[in-house]
Amino acid sequence: MSKTKRWVIAGLFAVLGFVANVHAAPEGAAKDKVLKDDKVCTRCHDGTEAYPVYDIGKTKHGTVADGRTGSCIACHGASETHIRIPDGADERPQPTVTFGAKSKTPVAERNAQCLNCHSGGKRMLWQGSTHEQEDVACTSCHQVHAQHDKVRDKLTQPEKCFTCHKDKRNEINKASRHPIKEGKVACSDCHNPHGSAGPKLMARDTVIDTCFSCHAEKRGPFLWSHQPVTEDCAICHNPHGSTNPRLLKQQMPFLCQECHEPGSHQGIAPSLRTNASFLPQPDIGAARQCVNCHTNLHGGNSPLNSSVNRSLVR
């Protein structure tokens, strides 16, 4: 055999070996996705499994270049009996720490494995939060081994939240709603699921501060403020969805009459209209009702306004 033919054959074997390695494991797994300490795990848990364990290499948890990246053992524990089956055992014991839905590892212990690295910042208030008190595991929401973690994607995040908060699924399908289904707004834009100093796990310390992060024009400051606006936007609005315009909890004037009654015209039902000379009464049920006159519901800057003549009048 000539020297040229030998070089050609050697080259073919090299190409075949490269192709075999590519198909044996996910892209880049040999270098960037399998840490040294993981070899004892990946010799069995490879890319051929039905559950994509190897896909963790496509996430930040599998980046060798990051010195903070842990190994399988860092999360699942030493798992010595799982690696080496004890004599007389009928089946392979589970790892020291498991994270599946049927895991026998206490939730607090599972979450502690995550908090070893993911503590502080937006997760600094996890202890004592609603989800922590309800024994919600990190893996109930997050998919660690998946390249696409649904809860971190604006389009798929609501579906993950709705597995528990089923009533909110109905509300976001109402006529007036935030653009959640379009992926422009996600639950985590308003709520911090890892804990918050505010009510209802709000992203900011108060409801109004959270709302003002998008609706800045409603913040003011105004010379004359509508008291509910400075207290809680949810007094008038249902942020998850409503059958009424502008996310209102009720139609006007009924919503306004919850506070503005009795006395003067605001306490009179819209169906009642009188032409009595001593009580001239416009039809406040027509068109946009209260906002026919009171256009600046969130606050006004007219220096002529006062609390006597209703500061929110045009």
Side-chain angles (χ1 to χ4, degrees):
M1 183 182 295
S2 67
K3 186 175 181 181
T4 302
K5 289 183 178 180
R6 285 198 298 269
W7 277 107
V8 171
I9 293 173
L12 288 173
F13 275 109
V15 171
L16 290 174
F18 173 77
V19 172
N21 285 333
V22 168
H23 286 282
E27 180 185 355
K31 180 179 179 181
D32 294 332
K33 298 173 184 174
V34 180
L35 305 180
K36 294 180 179 179
D37 294 340
D38 291 342
K39 289 182 179 179
V40 68
C41 303
T42 54
R43 66 185 182 185
C44 297
H45 300 285
D46 56 21
T48 62
E49 286 191 309
Y51 181 76
V53 175
Y54 229 43
D55 281 1
I56 195 171
K58 300 177 182 179
T59 70
K60 291 184 178 180
H61 287 110
T63 304
V64 175
D66 190 343
R68 300 170 298 174
T69 303
S71 62
C72 302
I73 296 173
C75 296
H76 291 281
S79 307
E80 294 179 358
T81 58
H82 179 74
I83 296 171
R84 299 175 182 84
I85 304 177
D87 295 337
D90 295 332
E91 58 183 18
R92 186 182 296 275
Q94 291 292 315
T96 305
V97 181
T98 56
F99 297 89
K102 298 181 180 179
S103 172
K104 296 181 180 179
T105 306
V107 171
E109 187 175 340
R110 282 182 261 167
N111 289 346
Q113 298 300 105
C114 301
L115 292 172
N116 285 335
C117 297
H118 302 283
S119 59
K122 291 184 178 181
R123 292 167 291 275
M124 66 185 301
L125 296 174
W126 169 257
Q127 282 78 10
S129 67
T130 302
H131 286 147
E132 193 264 349
Q133 291 179 353
E134 294 294 333
D135 258 0
V136 176
C138 301
T139 49
S140 297
C141 303
H142 294 281
Q143 293 178 290
V144 179
H145 286 271
Q147 183 180 10
H148 177 230
D149 188 2
K150 292 182 178 180
V151 81
R152 300 185 68 223
D153 187 321
K154 278 193 171 185
L155 276 172
T156 55
Q157 182 189 102
E159 286 300 318
K160 201 68 177 179
C161 298
F162 292 156
T163 56
C164 294
H165 304 281
K166 294 180 173 60
D167 57 321
K168 301 299 181 275
R169 183 195 300 275
N170 174 51
E171 291 182 354
I172 72 155
N173 284 291
K174 293 183 177 180
S176 180
R177 59 179 177 82
H178 281 106
I180 294 175
K181 294 192 293 184
E182 291 77 12
K184 295 182 179 180
V185 176
C187 305
S188 58
D189 289 333
C190 301
H191 300 278
N192 183 352
H194 301 105
S196 169
K200 305 292 185 181
L201 293 176
M202 300 306 298
R204 303 293 180 92
D205 290 343
T206 63
V207 174
I208 58 173
D209 284 340
T210 301
C211 297
F212 287 159
S213 62
C214 291
H215 304 283
E217 74 282 2
K218 304 297 189 292
R219 180 189 293 272
F222 300 114
L223 288 177
W224 306 99
S225 296
H226 196 184
Q227 287 85 348
V229 178
T230 59
E231 183 179 348
D232 187 345
C233 303
I235 292 176
C236 299
H237 300 279
N238 184 346
H240 296 101
S242 173
T243 56
N244 300 307
R246 299 177 184 85
L247 296 171
L248 292 176
K249 287 186 172 180
Q250 291 191 63
Q251 289 185 349
M252 291 185 286
F254 304 110
L255 177 65
C256 303
Q257 288 169 351
E258 287 188 343
C259 297
H260 298 282
E261 76 89 23
S264 187
H265 64 273
Q266 66 265 29
I268 299 176
S271 60
L272 299 179
R273 182 177 181 178
T274 177
N275 293 321
S277 59
F278 61 88
L279 185 61
Q281 178 62 46
D283 189 353
I284 61 173
R288 294 187 299 161
Q289 303 139 357
C290 303
V291 293
N292 285 338
C293 301
H294 303 273
T295 55
N296 298 322
L297 291 178
H298 296 90
N301 289 317
S302 173
L304 300 177
N305 289 334
S306 70
S307 60
V308 177
N309 61 18
R310 303 301 172 195
S311 61
L312 302 179
V313 177
R314 183 184 293 124

